[in-house]
């Protein structure tokens, strides 16, 4: 019984971080503090209608989930946007991530940008460049991850890894 | 040739109006200024996670599209929300409608709330109650449509009908 329990606990955590945006949605997949499994961004052509662009974002996230089978999805919880139109657009992009996760029953963890920066750089007010540099170092990348949307997504994934980590998971 | 063209033009317009919201998403289906085909609202249980709630909204809109085969979808274009968190939530709900429409290739028309009120009541600053009363009269309903989210969705559909209407479509 004990042995079976141990096997269950040891299940590898695969975390998909998503930094949603209508223009650029960054993503990053990690399974520990080693080289990331995947990272990059989704850039729907701006010439398409908003609906078509969200469909591209949604389909891409579904493909990422299918490919990497994440055990958790990390996403930003809080945005400081003064323009309500930008906030609505951001909400629409974020909705695609939440829907794709809900369709597969994958738990979603939300983190404030400050918390992600704190987890990665140790400073909630770190610049985007500091985050990129630190992620390069933490995940042993040859170069800082580009674009910064992908770097932010990796930061969210690292933050989520710290959050969900417990000794049993990392023996 | 002429006859074929006429047949195409005569295709019945079925408009699905959607007033998106995380708590309540109103909808209304019309095919002219007669009794609506359907109207009501989607109310995901607030106890569920946001992702599960958006999945319920998305699935319900997909079912409405499947059932009524709308030729156009009408949605609000502009919101006056000062709180960015509310704007993001609204965007997530709106994203579900845009995605469901894009998946089926149904054109989406966006109208500012003022424009919908103008189309129905003749006054862009009409109250919710005035909109409900006028919709009751226009669509020959025994009572004002409830809840007001459904009434707003019907107003959007009527606005869209006026917008897409041309003599060929209404012979």
């Amino acid at each position: 019984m004990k042995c079976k329990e141990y096997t269950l606990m040891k299940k590898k955590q695969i975390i998909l971080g998503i930094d949603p945006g209508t223009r650029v949605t960054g993503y990053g997949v990690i399974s520990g503090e080693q080289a990331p499994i995947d990272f990059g961004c989704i850039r729907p052509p701006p010439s398409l209608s908003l609906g078509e662009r969200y469909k591209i974002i949604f389909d891409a996230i579904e493909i990422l989930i299918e490919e990497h089978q994440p055990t958790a999805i990390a996403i930003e919880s809080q945005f400081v946007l003064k323009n309500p139109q930008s906030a609505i657009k951001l909400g629409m992009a974020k909705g695609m991530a939440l829907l794709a996760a809900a369709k597969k029953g994958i738990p979603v963890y939300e983190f404030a940008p400050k918390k992600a920066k704190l987890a990665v750089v140790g400073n909630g007010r770190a610049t985007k460049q500091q985050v990129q540099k630190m992620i390069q170092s933490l995940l042993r990348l040859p170069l800082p991850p580009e674009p910064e949307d992908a770097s932010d997504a990796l930061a969210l994934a690292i933050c989520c890894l710290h959050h969900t980590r417990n000794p049993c998971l990392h023996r």
Side-chain angles (χ1 to χ4, degrees), chain A:
Chain A
M1 243 346 250
K2 193 123 205 228
C3 178
K4 196 177 167 196
E5 227 176 282
Y6 174 65
T7 314
L8 277 173
M9 302 287 267
K10 227 177 59 148
K11 193 186 168 201
K12 203 165 78 175
Q13 290 272 298
I14 297 174
I15 298 169
L16 167 60
I18 299 175
D19 179 30
T22 300
R23 212 176 47 80
V24 185
T25 288
Y27 66 85
V29 187
I30 61 169
S31 100
E33 276 172 9
Q34 46 196 280
I37 298 167
D38 191 6
F39 67 91
C41 67
I42 309 158
R43 275 186 215 269
S47 57
L48 296 181
S49 74
L50 272 185
E52 288 166 321
R53 287 153 77 181
Y54 293 123
K55 186 175 176 299
I56 288 174
I57 296 171
F58 177 76
D59 289 347
I61 296 173
E62 277 207 321
I63 289 168
L64 286 169
I65 290 175
E66 194 57 42
E67 192 176 338
H68 301 297
Q69 303 281 327
T71 51
I73 289 178
I75 198 161
E76 263 188 27
S77 68
Q78 191 185 305
F79 304 89
V80 277
L81 284 170
K82 287 196 180 143
N83 177 346
Q85 287 310 307
S86 308
I88 288 172
K89 275 194 178 175
L90 187 56
M92 291 196 275
K94 186 176 171 181
M96 299 306 116
L98 290 190
L99 178 65
K103 273 182 170 264
K104 294 284 178 187
I106 301 166
V108 174
Y109 296 85
E110 300 203 25
F111 302 99
K114 265 190 186 173
K115 206 161 176 183
K117 286 176 177 179
L118 198 68
V120 174
V121 186
N123 171 4
R125 292 170 173 239
T127 65
K128 297 258 180 198
Q129 287 70 32
Q130 286 174 316
V131 173
Q132 280 173 309
K133 283 265 176 198
M134 201 60 179
I135 286 184
Q136 177 189 4
S137 160
L138 279 172
L139 301 182
R140 292 158 218 176
L141 289 164
L143 288 167
E146 290 280 359
E148 62 185 35
D149 313 82
S151 166
D152 288 347
L154 286 168
L156 285 162
I158 290 171
C159 182
C160 185
L161 188 72
H162 292 185
H163 179 83
T164 55
R165 176 181 276 169
N166 75 49
C168 297
L169 293 167
H170 290 267
R171 280 183 69 146

